[in-house]
Amino acid sequence: MKLKSADRVSTATVVSAGLIGGWLTARESGIRPLGTIPLVAAGALAARSWNARRGPVTAAALTATYVAAFGLSHPLAKKIGAWPAVLGATAGAATAAWLLSDSR
């Protein structure tokens, strides 16, 4: 199996798939740790592209944004509900990925 070239990956899409897919996997399986599989896989794929396109500093910043979006969605869900929290966190992380990597 061969991965797509790092500079051709839409990381905003990958970030969205990782955050939403991780949440859905955990919710639908009933096994919360199982949600980390799509979350980590998408994060690794996105980080690979960020590093290739923009270098390690941007890759680290966007990886931190991705992890923060995941972390912040949890307390936010207690205030506004799960779907709005996941979608809001995903929108923020995907927008950052697009602005700092994909659009360049």
Side-chain angles (χ1 to χ4, degrees):
M1 183 175 359
K2 184 177 177 188
L3 286 176
K4 184 188 268 190
S5 174
D7 62 339
R8 296 188 59 217
V9 173
S10 170
T11 63
T13 304
V14 172
V15 163
S16 298
L19 291 168
I20 294 171
W23 179 73
L24 281 173
T25 300
R27 188 186 87 168
E28 294 302 315
S29 70
I31 304 169
R32 288 185 66 171
L34 198 57
T36 61
I37 294 170
L39 182 75
V40 170
L45 178 62
R48 170 184 168 261
S49 292
W50 295 329
N51 188 53
R53 279 191 194 141
R54 307 289 297 149
V57 173
T58 300
L62 286 171
T63 299
T65 300
Y66 181 70
V67 172
F70 167 72
L72 292 174
S73 69
H74 290 81
L76 189 58
K78 293 178 194 266
K79 296 188 183 292
I80 65 173
W83 266 118
V86 170
L87 293 177
T90 299
T95 299
W98 186 84
L99 288 172
L100 297 177
S101 178
D102 296 349
S103 67
R104 296 175 185 236

